[in-house]
Amino acid sequence: MTDAVDEAAGADEAADESFGSVTPDAARRLLLGAVEAFAERGFHATTTRDIAGRAGMSPAALYIHYRTKEELLYQISRVGHERSVRILGAAAETGDTAAERLDAAVRTFVRWHAEYHTTARVVQYELSALAEEHYTEIVAMRRRTEEILRTILSDGVAAGEFTVADVNGTALAVLSLCIDVARWYRSGGPRTPDEIGGLYAGLVLRMVGAEPRGV
Amino acid sequence: MTDAVDEAAGADEAADESFGSVTPDAARRLLLGAVEAFAERGFHATTTRDIAGRAGMSPAALYIHYRTKEELLYQISRVGHERSVRILGAAAETGDTAAERLDAAVRTFVRWHAEYHTTARVVQYELSALAEEHYTEIVAMRRRTEEILRTILSDGVAAGEFTVADVNGTALAVLSLCIDVARWYRSGGPRTPDEIGGLYAGLVLRMVGAEPRGV
DNA sequence: GTCTATAGGGAGATAGAC
DNA sequence: GTCTATCTCCCTATAGAC
């Protein structure tokens, strides 16, 4: 079977990009190697030799910890989605007004996509390489993400804070803004993840017609 | 060598998704097969057998018209980028005010990404599979795209139409909105490409703090 | 220009020693 | 648990007949 690939509650290590709690050590190194390789080249262009090499092991060692190459992608995708949904969900409960919650949600979600852009790139753009059953499971988690944003927008409209003609379409647009950060973000660029989060939160508040807060 | 893969000026066929002018017929069918396959599975997961099969030919026939599988991707990417830049550039000259030009640019660019989402998906998300020289060439074309948006935003700020703190960052955000449509759009969804274009143009005008026009 | 057949190279995954 | 060696499959690209 597979080694323990579960999230420990409090883990937030930057270097491990949220896989810090994976044990044993070899399994974690393989997972981190796979994240890097999949992010760089994509799942199908990545060889098991490459992954094992990044983990400092022989190709065969991979199969002690994971049944297939696809299972590595699945674990990355599953843990990555769990974490991103949790982070977004927590932020979406921060604040009394819908505007505050939307600000926190976008700020946090964007920051996650920038800071952990390597993981995020795999999480967001390699879905189609998942086995069908795994794909189905992950898609369900992704619906939670959309749901969270839709709820904030609906709440804001109901409370008279936002002016949004098409809640579903606008939620999709907000999500696009956040997700696409993982595609273009590079470490060492002109903006920090925090700055991008702040910029995008402001843009989104305007998008939904929220009154400027404290400007 | 390669058969003629150039854009005929007036071609806008929906079915051919902008490759209608490629000749001879077999070369075009292969290109269209490749677009479909690359969009569905990605470049590396697509086999030349699959591409040739979609074109109703044997695997070997592919090499009469294209030197390698990568050349197919290159032609798709090149023609697709040429077309998308031209469409965006034309829209960006439509209108007297910056707001009108931004509206037209976003509306048109989004519509293109939805209507030709199959081509757009390859154009936007398979870049990393290009050979290095081809990649370099395509990246240069992509800079034109960013440039067009930055110019509209700068003009709008200079004219006092927009309130934008970070022109570069905001241009990137606008681009994200447009591009990401190719990722999630499915034919037969609840919104037409035109509706999405209209929705997104409105969202973007709000993002840049443009006064509501005619609302 | 298109086909059938196949060369040549890796890829994912396994066997079995240590 | 990890390694070396290797199996087996299938992919890209080519050869040569038609």
XYZ file of all heavy atoms in Angstrom, chain B residues 27 49 53 76 88 99 137 154 165 172 183-184 201 208:
106
model
N -2.796 18.039 -44.367
C -2.056 18.784 -43.347
C -3.017 19.480 -42.398
O -2.775 19.553 -41.191
C -1.131 19.803 -44.012
N -0.143 8.383 -33.228
C -1.209 7.494 -33.728
C -2.580 8.103 -33.516
O -3.456 8.019 -34.373
C -1.137 6.139 -33.004
C -0.060 5.215 -33.521
C 0.127 4.011 -32.595
N 1.102 3.073 -33.134
C 2.414 3.259 -33.124
N 2.924 4.365 -32.587
N 3.217 2.354 -33.648
N -4.927 9.107 -36.460
C -6.226 8.452 -36.459
C -7.367 9.444 -36.599
O -8.301 9.224 -37.380
N 0.358 25.127 -34.328
C -0.874 25.485 -33.618
C -0.624 26.710 -32.756
O -1.409 27.664 -32.736
C -1.342 24.308 -32.729
C -1.763 23.128 -33.596
C -2.474 24.741 -31.807
C -1.879 21.821 -32.831
N -7.061 40.775 -30.486
C -6.990 41.686 -29.344
C -6.554 43.076 -29.788
O -7.128 44.093 -29.363
C -6.001 41.138 -28.308
C -5.783 42.021 -27.073
C -7.065 42.127 -26.261
C -4.647 41.476 -26.208
N -11.919 53.499 -21.832
C -12.936 52.577 -21.309
C -13.567 51.784 -22.441
O -13.786 50.567 -22.318
C -14.005 53.355 -20.538
N 10.276 32.232 -29.415
C 9.524 32.997 -30.405
C 8.103 33.297 -29.923
O 7.608 34.425 -30.071
C 9.476 32.199 -31.716
C 8.749 32.916 -32.842
C 8.547 32.004 -34.061
O 9.331 31.056 -34.238
O 7.580 32.238 -34.800
N -2.722 52.304 -19.068
C -1.953 53.546 -18.898
C -2.688 54.738 -19.496
O -2.785 55.812 -18.887
C -0.587 53.433 -19.574
O 0.144 52.374 -19.017
N -3.791 51.613 -9.286
C -2.562 51.846 -8.523
C -1.372 51.158 -9.202
O -0.297 51.734 -9.319
C -2.725 51.334 -7.097
N -1.940 42.197 -15.708
C -1.761 40.757 -15.513
C -3.055 40.113 -15.034
O -3.430 39.017 -15.478
C -0.647 40.548 -14.474
C 0.320 39.402 -14.653
C 0.837 39.340 -16.070
C 1.470 39.530 -13.665
N -9.531 27.424 -19.797
C -9.373 26.270 -18.909
C -10.724 25.673 -18.520
O -10.910 24.458 -18.560
C -8.591 26.670 -17.654
C -8.269 25.509 -16.711
C -7.523 25.986 -15.464
N -8.276 26.975 -14.710
C -9.235 26.686 -13.830
N -9.520 25.433 -13.576
N -9.888 27.640 -13.205
N -11.676 26.543 -18.152
C -12.912 25.995 -17.579
C -14.076 25.945 -18.565
O -15.053 25.230 -18.335
C -13.327 26.762 -16.318
C -13.566 28.233 -16.502
C -12.684 29.234 -16.187
C -14.744 28.880 -17.015
N -13.243 30.464 -16.479
C -14.502 30.271 -16.980
C -15.969 28.420 -17.494
C -15.434 31.203 -17.429
C -16.899 29.341 -17.938
C -16.631 30.721 -17.892
N -16.221 41.926 -19.405
C -15.888 43.313 -19.739
C -16.401 44.239 -18.649
O -15.708 45.175 -18.225
C -16.481 43.683 -21.100
N -10.964 48.553 -12.836
C -10.075 49.688 -13.088
C -10.695 51.006 -12.643
O -10.143 52.081 -12.887
C -9.689 49.789 -14.581
C -8.976 48.529 -15.030
C -10.906 50.063 -15.455
